[in-house]
Amino acid sequence: MNNLNVLRLSHLCVRVTNLEAAEEFYVNVLGFSLTEKDGDHLYLKGIEEGQHHSLVLKKASSPGLCYVGFRVRNVEDVKLLDRVQKFNEKGVNEAYLTQSPNGIPLLFYEEMEYVGDVRLKFNLHKGSSPVRLAHVNFMVKNLEKEERFFKEQGFVETERFLNKDGKKTVTWLTKRGNSHEVALAESEKNVPGFHHETYYVHDLRDVVRVADLLSSLGYWDSIERGPGRHGASEGYYIYIRDLDKNRLEFFNSDYEVLDLDKWRPVVWTQEQYRFRSDFWGRPIPESWLNEWMPVEDLNGEMVRWEND
């Protein structure tokens, strides 16, 4: 695939089965900023994001990922792809939907409506005050092909994880110089899949506040993993599940890569597994290791997993 002149990770659309319950959970509990509600869609964003949205919640019969959006320098480049179709999205001038080599639904656009942020409107901050979309995590069958595709778009590898045989099974990639904006993990089952999206928060207290908020409101089953600290990225984290079991992470304190051309990927071996994923050595829940969501195809239907 040609270089599409990707500028950055922009947004994603996630399926939920009850839009009213999702609004209560995401907006009133977690603190996402609601730009607007339009029919079967909620358009949300972080407190420092000026664009119309970074998270779309779409009412559907089952949970999962609709697509992940990237802003490009010139949308005309996207039209040259072999398998691409025009897509209408609220607030976006012109967008095109396609798939990655492993079948991940990707949306590319050039311009989105700018509505301004609420960064200094502290009276509007609530919940954990999500700041901005930080990264997305995909599950794929062929890691090499997927990694090549994103590197063709100018992404740079920051970290990689090796299995017991020394084979790379996870890669983290950045375009803007964060620890990562795209994470890819190889799996033989339930692929293509979407593991989670992550929102950056300003302070460790905001990570802990997610757990406090959910616990005080009786959402104990939504707390899946953490609070904790990753060895990879150095970031503090908490993973939660929404009311449909879609997973999202709140995260802060990762590093920045100032000179992408000089960066050498951090290599984590299987022997370092315990503190790579959780620097404090705490075990990872089986659900986090083995559960993720299916994705839509270009027709908006869920891709059926074909496991051996």
Side-chain angles (χ1 to χ4, degrees), residues 35-160:
T35 301
E36 65 176 294
K37 184 176 182 179
D38 181 21
D40 289 337
H41 296 80
L42 289 175
Y43 298 89
L44 312 177
K45 62 189 184 71
I47 60 174
E48 291 189 1
E49 294 176 312
Q51 65 189 39
H52 185 270
H53 57 269
S54 65
L55 176 60
V56 182
L57 301 180
K58 183 181 81 170
K59 185 177 181 180
S61 60
S62 62
L65 175 72
C66 302
Y67 53 82
V68 170
F70 293 85
R71 189 182 181 198
V72 297
R73 190 175 304 280
N74 189 342
V75 76
E76 295 297 321
D77 295 331
V78 183
K79 297 179 183 180
L80 301 177
L81 299 178
D82 293 332
R83 193 180 182 196
V84 63
Q85 60 189 49
K86 194 167 185 179
F87 187 85
N88 294 321
E89 181 178 87
K90 186 83 171 183
V92 175
N93 186 33
E94 186 177 6
Y96 290 88
L97 188 65
T98 186
Q99 290 177 315
S100 75
N102 280 267
I104 300 295
L106 303 177
L107 187 77
F108 296 101
Y109 77 98
E110 186 176 340
E111 293 293 337
M112 182 187 291
E113 179 184 353
Y114 198 84
V115 298
D117 60 55
V118 295
R119 180 172 51 90
L120 294 178
K121 297 179 180 178
F122 296 105
N123 57 306
L124 299 180
H125 298 186
K126 55 186 176 180
S128 61
S129 300
V131 174
R132 57 175 169 79
L133 178 63
H135 61 263
V136 290
N137 188 307
F138 302 131
M139 308 299 298
V140 298
K141 186 173 184 178
N142 189 314
L143 179 65
E144 183 179 355
K145 285 185 178 180
E146 202 77 2
E147 180 181 4
R148 185 185 309 121
F149 164 76
F150 279 99
K151 285 185 174 179
E152 287 173 351
Q153 311 314 315
F155 284 77
V156 173
E157 184 181 41
T158 54
E159 307 203 22
R160 67 180 65 158

Side-chain angles (χ1 to χ4, degrees), residues 14-22 58-64 242-244 246:
V14 172
R15 297 162 55 110
V16 296
T17 59
N18 186 316
L19 207 61
E20 289 71 28
K58 183 181 81 170
K59 185 177 181 180
S61 60
S62 62
D242 73 6
L243 304 181
D244 289 295
N246 293 302

